[in-house]
Amino acid sequence: MLELKFDKTKCADCKAVSCLVKCQYMHFDRDTARTEWQKVVNGEDSQVLHDCATCYSCEEYCPFGNHPFYLIVERQEEKGILPAPRPITTMWINQCQPIGRFTVGKVEEKAMSFCFLPQFGILAGGKLFEDIAWSSIFGQEFFCNAVYLHFARMSVIRDRLPKVIENIAKQGIKELVCLHDECYGTFTSLAPAYGIELPFKPVHYYEHLYDKLKELKDEIQPLNVKVAYFRNCSARLIPETDHFVDDIFGLIGVDRVQREYDHENALCCAELIRVSKGPEMADDVQKRNLDDMLKAGAEYCVFNCPGCWDSMVEKVVKTGIKPIHMIDLCKLAIGEEQALTPPEPALEV
Amino acid sequence: MSDIYATLQEIVGKDYVSNQAEERYFYGRDPGLMPPHEPDYVVMPRTTEEVQEIIRLANKEKVAVVPKGAGLSLTGLVIPQIGGIVMDMKRMEGIEVNEAGRYVIVEGGVTHAALKSHLQKNYPHLRHSIPDSPPIATIVANAVIHGQGRLTQQRGFNSDMVSGLEVVLPTGEVCRIGSCAVSSYWFSKGPPMPDLSGLFLGWFGTTGVITRLGMKLYPCKKMRDVMLYITDRAELIPDIIRKLSHTEMMEDIVVSCAPLPLRFKGVFNMLVYITGDSEEELEFKRKMAWDALREYFESRDGGFMGVSPYMKPSLLAMPSKDTTRFADVSKGGGFEYSGPIAPIEKYPQYVKKLEELASKYNLFYSSAARVIDGGHSMMFSFSYTFNRADPDTMNRAKTALDEAAEFALDEGGVIWKPNLNEQRMVMERMDPNTLKLLGKIKQLLDPNGIMNPGNWEAK
Ligand SMILES: Cc1cc2nc3c(=O)[nH]c(=O)nc-3n(C[C@H](O)[C@H](O)[C@H](O)COP(=O)(O)OP(=O)(O)OC[C@H]3O[C@@H](n4cnc5c(N)ncnc54)[C@H](O)[C@@H]3O)c2cc1C
């Protein structure tokens, strides 16, 4: 049985309790944070287990890499606490069940994973993917399963992740460019936290984009636009990739606006907050984020995760800011077109 | 050439009558499970006068007449049980809107698609209640079988929205029913007079041919949206429906369940539709829906899921294409449902039976239940798919549907658009005096028994 590598002593010695003190959704002073966190560590019931918005951020806040969020998820499951309604949890578990239905391209040692997100089929084209486009995998069998962190179902991840890794390895893949950064987070944060070894090397697609843009340097026309960067929950598992955002923006002449809710202080898309905590909190989070982008003078809102895109795209459009996925932003800079576009308003009357 | 054939040619013109094998084959069946039976003639009248003449001829020759819209009611209602004439109504396609009075007068063959596009083009602020049947389904036939559409949750059966009729009686006279009998306005199918529309709606063409029908139109709001609510407890669904319909703000509520795709497994999906003239109005209604179900959100028994904006066009489409897609899930194009109109409180029992029968007869199933008239009842479909090239699955589906119908009746429901066997079941349980009345009415209106014989035959 896979077990979380968690070191109690690190938390016992921790003065800052940043995991809870920095939390954007639960508000604790340091003393209460310490008390509540110790309850979590000791396997007792705590307000944290009930109020956690499952934004993953404490994984980034913990200076010791001690996986506070994974511990919260473990404890929630042990205690039968449901962050989201039970049927929605069931629906998620069922819909991504591996059932032997997947799509693989002409897979080579270096391949791309579209996870289980069809949007990547739309995005991953053009010159940025010209030397890898055919080498792709997609489907439940390759789905990273990290989403179950939102549903207190670490057991599902523990159960499915080793098989997912095996499925990827079986394709003969040695290097996997993860287009969903949740996959990259799963392979480089979650898997090691449970002692799962990887028989291939995961590569974040930002690194791929950065390398390709350098190759295509002569074709880049600086975009000279101000953008708000939309950080997603899984970025909290892999903060070490955040520098690529600035590196890429530097190459394509994009100004990442200074705003309150970016970097460590980012707000999530709140769609799972809507599902688990209700619309009031979700609306508030989304509104604050959008107001902040407007205030900072952003012309574009740049997305990393298709899930955030789906939940925010229409709201972003309404503010007058243009939504765009990071891949598409890079495409614009080399004279290609935006592939993933906002939906037409669905008004069938 | 027979006299009947020649006379039909004289009435409608030679292009619009046939006794050829191809047409007889096609008009002898429907997409459901009832055995086929071919007509002797197929005729396509254009006017009320032509309908009248055909009916007079049928009386003289004592041949049967079966009016047919798109033939999509699935339960064999347009299969000519003893041959005779199938009267295909599709050439009667006139549409006349009274904008101020918010109604439309359609001729007997106007399809839902035709009316929808006519309104969108010419009266975008008005709409009618569109069922989820394929778009070629006709408005008159849908009212004749008491169909349900997008406005049924708010306004009742589509037949409740009828505002007048022009009927050719089985003996050939043309009759106007409702306000149009005394006025040039078609605003009411009966009140304040005796409501005679009940002599024709629900009778499957056995009491006359409706050549024109008034249908109420309703405000078409500028915006629509759909919310997706999920629960895994069938026993909560009646209360969830009660709470949602209590808001009086939902356009439509449809509960579905199926074992596949996987996201449907083990849960019930409720599509809750709302409309509004502004984003604020929609937002208010979303909030009302959330508030109505807060209790189940807190107990974690149910919740609203986010709906991807890319999924919305297909969920908002009218008609919904999903039902039609489901209809071919077993390939081979076979699909039929028994759709009792039933008390909402019976939802859990019906679901249990649906699953039981699917497993007993090894069939793929689904169900969609539409709330009727603010929560007074629901249409609960026991839907099974089959492959037409495989008689064994067809038999199993038929047996399952027969058992479902029997069960639905035992549990207080009444079968909707029943096939011949189901009509028998209904009549067996009917109050004997009511049954007698049914027979008397039928005998009075159709003394020669020429109209869609076999249906509603109260023996
Ligand atoms: C995939 C699918 C989804 C469906 N979803 C729905 C739904 O959401 N709601 C719903 O209500 N139904 C639904 N149905 C059932 C059915 O298709 C519709 O009710 C449809 O409107 C029936 O119209 P029709 O023209 O096909 O009728 P037909 O089958 O042609 O006729 C029905 C009855 O009306 C009689 N009739 C026809 N025209 C006249 C006339 N002019 N005068 C007198 N009698 C006449 C016929 O003799 C017959 O008895 C669905 C069917 C399918 C296949």
Side-chain angles (χ1 to χ4, degrees):
Chain A
M1 158 104 163
L2 298 170
E3 263 188 51
L4 176 64
K5 291 182 182 169
F6 173 77
D7 185 350
K8 264 185 170 192
T9 57
K10 284 184 180 160
C11 291
D13 297 341
C14 176
K15 302 272 178 297
V17 206
S18 308
C19 54
L20 295 187
V21 171
K22 285 190 179 177
C23 181
Q24 303 258 45
Y25 308 99
M26 292 182 286
H27 304 291
F28 292 113
D29 58 45
R30 205 170 302 277
D31 288 341
T32 324
R34 185 166 299 116
T35 317
E36 289 302 316
W37 186 247
Q38 279 311 313
K39 287 188 198 163
V40 175
V41 170
N42 296 332
E44 294 160 27
D45 196 9
S46 156
Q47 195 191 332
V48 172
L49 303 179
H50 299 271
D51 294 351
C52 172
T54 73
C55 73
Y56 301 13
S57 304
C58 47
E59 281 295 301
E60 180 175 4
Y61 300 148
C62 174
F64 311 110
N66 206 21
H67 302 306
F69 180 56
Y70 301 158
L71 186 70
I72 292 175
V73 178
E74 290 278 5
R75 295 286 190 253
Q76 284 175 324
E77 186 165 12
E78 276 163 29
K79 303 203 170 317
I81 293 167
L82 290 170
R86 188 185 55 253
I88 294 181
T89 308
T90 308
M91 193 282 301
W92 267 99
I93 293 173
N94 286 341
Q95 82 166 349
C96 302
Q97 202 177 309
I99 49 160
R101 209 189 297 151
F102 52 86
T103 318
V104 290
K106 198 171 157 298
V107 174
E108 297 181 356
E109 287 193 354
K110 182 170 179 182
M112 282 188 291
S113 169
F114 293 174
C115 190
F116 189 26
L117 290 160
Q119 291 94 328
F120 289 126
I122 300 170
L123 284 163
K127 286 187 188 156
L128 295 166
F129 298 92
E130 63 193 351
D131 47 6
I132 195 173
W134 54 87
S135 179
S136 61
I137 54 174
F138 166 85
Q140 284 116 312
E141 311 293 320
F142 309 114
F143 173 61
C144 60
N145 284 284
V147 72
Y148 302 116
L149 294 171
H150 292 295
F151 298 99
R153 282 294 179 276
M154 198 60 102
S155 56
V156 178
I157 300 175
R158 281 197 304 259
D159 178 42
R160 291 185 189 169
L161 185 55
K163 286 181 206 142
V164 168
I165 291 170
E166 198 185 307
N167 290 339
I168 295 169
K170 269 199 224 148
Q171 304 297 323
I173 294 167
K174 300 272 181 294
E175 200 176 319
L176 187 68
V177 179
C178 303
L179 294 197
H180 191 199
D181 89 335
E182 188 134 305
C183 292
Y184 186 79
T186 303
F187 299 136
T188 60
S189 166
L190 243 173
Y194 281 86
I196 305 174
E197 284 185 15
L198 293 183
F200 54 85
K201 178 179 170 237
V203 176
H204 195 280
Y205 78 102
Y206 280 0
E207 188 176 343
H208 172 86
L209 289 177
Y210 181 65
D211 290 345
K212 279 310 286 183
L213 285 168
K214 275 196 300 188
E215 275 174 35
L216 297 167
K217 210 166 171 196
D218 296 341
E219 296 182 35
I220 296 176
Q221 294 286 330
L223 292 170
N224 296 323
V225 288
K226 288 172 183 280
V227 308
Y229 182 64
F230 201 104
R231 256 191 117 201
N232 44 307
C233 53
S234 45
R236 307 299 193 146
L237 309 183
I238 44 174
E240 68 278 10
T241 58
D242 201 41
H243 72 88
F244 281 118
V245 177
D246 297 317
D247 298 345
I248 291 171
F249 286 171
L251 279 180
I252 61 176
V254 162
D255 176 15
R256 179 177 183 169
V257 292
Q258 293 295 319
R259 63 189 194 103
E260 188 179 351
Y261 300 122
D262 196 0
H263 301 286
E264 208 181 67
N265 204 27
L267 288 175
C268 72
C269 73
E271 210 42 47
L272 284 155
I273 293 186
R274 184 177 306 281
V275 166
S276 59
K277 305 276 175 248
E280 295 79 7
M281 185 168 168
D283 288 344
D284 171 62
V285 170
Q286 292 180 338
K287 184 174 183 314
R288 278 193 283 139
N289 211 348
L290 291 170
D291 288 349
D292 187 43
M293 290 180 204
L294 278 174
K295 201 169 123 203
E299 297 161 74
Y300 280 88
C301 171
V302 180
F303 288 94
N304 174 355
C305 165
C308 300
W309 169 277
D310 269 10
S311 58
M312 291 302 292
V313 62
E314 288 175 309
K315 291 171 181 137
V316 171
V317 167
K318 275 186 196 144
T319 64
I321 297 174
K322 288 176 238 158
I324 192 161
H325 189 275
M326 183 63 127
I327 295 175
D328 275 339
L329 189 74
C330 297
K331 283 188 193 162
L332 292 189
I334 54 167
E336 293 180 1
E337 281 183 9
Q338 180 170 354
L340 183 63
T341 50
E344 294 292 319
L347 291 176
E348 168 64 93
V349 281
Chain B
M1 211 192 318
S2 76
D3 283 353
I4 296 178
Y5 185 70
T7 316
L8 287 172
Q9 280 193 331
E10 275 167 32
I11 297 171
V12 295
K14 68 178 174 18
D15 288 345
Y16 299 109
V17 56
S18 174
N19 60 0
Q20 297 301 298
E22 296 86 332
E23 273 86 24
R24 289 174 47 219
Y25 177 90
F26 177 77
Y27 283 90
R29 61 204 70 228
D30 78 358
L33 283 161
M34 293 299 283
H37 191 286
E38 292 185 7
D40 300 300
Y41 313 95
V42 178
V43 62
M44 297 182 82
R46 172 63 203 97
T47 62
T48 302
E49 292 70 31
E50 288 176 6
V51 173
Q52 259 186 304
E53 286 185 57
I54 295 165
I55 296 291
R56 286 194 187 119
L57 171 71
N59 269 294
K60 190 168 134 234
E61 301 289 343
K62 307 278 183 296
V63 292
V65 177
V66 178
K68 170 171 175 154
L72 283 169
S73 43
L74 302 174
T75 41
L77 305 180
V78 291
I79 296 176
Q81 301 299 332
I82 57 164
I85 301 169
V86 168
M87 188 188 284
D88 183 333
M89 303 301 291
K90 280 189 209 74
R91 287 181 67 223
M92 300 194 64
E93 50 191 3
I95 300 176
E96 196 188 315
V97 172
N98 183 324
E99 190 178 4
R102 282 196 180 143
Y103 63 79
V104 60
I105 304 165
V106 293
E107 286 187 334
V110 172
T111 65
H112 282 281
L115 179 58
K116 179 185 168 185
S117 56
H118 185 82
L119 293 175
Q120 279 184 338
K121 197 165 158 211
N122 303 298
Y123 306 95
H125 50 282
L126 291 174
R127 64 186 293 207
H128 78 291
S129 180
I130 300 178
D132 284 323
S133 36
I136 53 160
T138 61
I139 293 166
V140 169
N142 182 254
V144 163
I145 63 169
H146 294 304
Q148 312 97 43
R150 262 302 168 248
L151 296 177
T152 285
Q153 200 285 124
Q154 291 171 299
R155 314 276 177 187
F157 289 94
N158 287 353
S159 47
D160 290 331
M161 302 170 211
V162 168
S163 65
L165 299 173
E166 177 190 88
V167 189
V168 175
L169 298 181
T171 38
E173 305 90 327
V174 180
C175 224
R176 284 195 170 190
I177 305 294
S179 58
C180 64
V182 283
S183 148
S184 59
Y185 289 94
W186 290 53
F187 53 76
S188 160
K189 66 182 162 64
M193 299 171 292
D195 187 349
L196 297 178
S197 67
L199 296 175
F200 307 98
L201 299 174
W203 284 83
F204 305 159
T206 58
T207 52
V209 181
I210 297 173
T211 43
R212 292 205 290 166
L213 176 141
M215 180 60 83
K216 291 179 190 166
L217 302 174
Y218 297 91
C220 182
K221 299 279 201 168
K222 291 186 191 131
M223 297 171 173
R224 291 177 74 226
D225 198 10
V226 57
M227 303 169 76
L228 173 59
Y229 188 81
I230 302 194
T231 182
D232 53 2
R233 291 183 58 193
E235 69 276 20
L236 297 184
I237 287 177
D239 193 45
I240 292 171
I241 291 175
R242 210 169 9 254
K243 288 184 155 74
L244 283 173
S245 51
H246 179 86
T247 64
E248 296 198 306
M249 290 202 180
M250 309 300 134
E251 178 200 50
D252 192 11
I253 304 171
V254 180
V255 192
S256 27
C257 70
L260 282 173
L262 283 172
R263 75 190 134 85
F264 274 63
K265 197 175 130 190
V267 295
F268 301 91
N269 283 254
M270 299 180 85
L271 290 174
V272 179
Y273 292 85
I274 50 175
T275 60
D277 278 327
S278 63
E279 186 47 49
E280 289 71 31
E281 188 178 347
L282 283 183
E283 193 48 40
F284 180 69
K285 290 180 177 173
R286 279 185 208 112
K287 187 172 167 355
M288 293 294 284
W290 261 96
D291 287 349
L293 302 178
R294 187 74 60 171
E295 174 189 341
Y296 295 128
F297 176 65
E298 263 144 34
S299 67
R300 309 270 93 170
D301 286 319
F304 284 102
M305 284 271 306
V307 181
S308 155
Y310 297 92
M311 264 171 70
K312 282 193 181 172
S314 91
L315 293 175
L316 288 168
M318 287 184 290
S320 150
K321 297 184 186 78
D322 291 342
T323 331
T324 307
R325 239 177 251 131
F326 169 79
D328 197 30
V329 90
S330 302
K331 300 301 162 201
F335 163 60
E336 186 170 330
Y337 59 96
S338 174
I341 308 300
I344 291 170
E345 67 189 59
K346 293 288 180 175
Y347 187 90
Q349 289 89 325
Y350 279 36
V351 162
K352 194 159 163 256
K353 193 68 182 178
L354 169 83
E355 292 170 352
E356 226 174 82
L357 291 171
S359 106
K360 181 169 167 195
Y361 295 105
N362 190 21
L363 292 163
F364 184 70
Y365 72 88
S366 88
S367 168
R370 171 169 268 146
V371 176
I372 298 172
D373 199 10
H376 288 100
S377 60
M378 65 175 170
M379 188 286 294
F380 180 98
S381 72
F382 289 86
S383 312
Y384 299 110
T385 62
F386 48 87
N387 180 346
R388 299 207 147 270
D390 176 359
D392 176 50
T393 41
M394 286 180 75
N395 271 335
R396 282 186 277 124
K398 189 165 173 353
T399 318
L401 286 170
D402 285 348
E403 276 186 43
E406 210 47 89
F407 173 84
L409 284 166
D410 289 345
E411 289 291 322
V414 180
I415 302 167
W416 173 50
K417 61 181 177 65
N419 63 30
L420 293 182
N421 184 36
E422 291 166 341
Q423 288 174 36
R424 238 166 269 132
M425 290 181 200
V426 171
M427 289 188 288
E428 269 165 29
R429 287 162 205 248
M430 203 177 264
D431 172 281
N433 287 332
T434 312
L435 187 62
K436 258 195 224 157
L437 177 63
L438 204 75
K440 278 187 198 165
I441 291 171
K442 170 75 180 141
Q443 176 60 31
L444 180 74
L445 290 175
D446 184 16
N448 290 322
I450 59 161
M451 295 304 301
N452 207 355
N455 288 283
W456 291 134
E457 277 184 1
K459 293 257 162 59

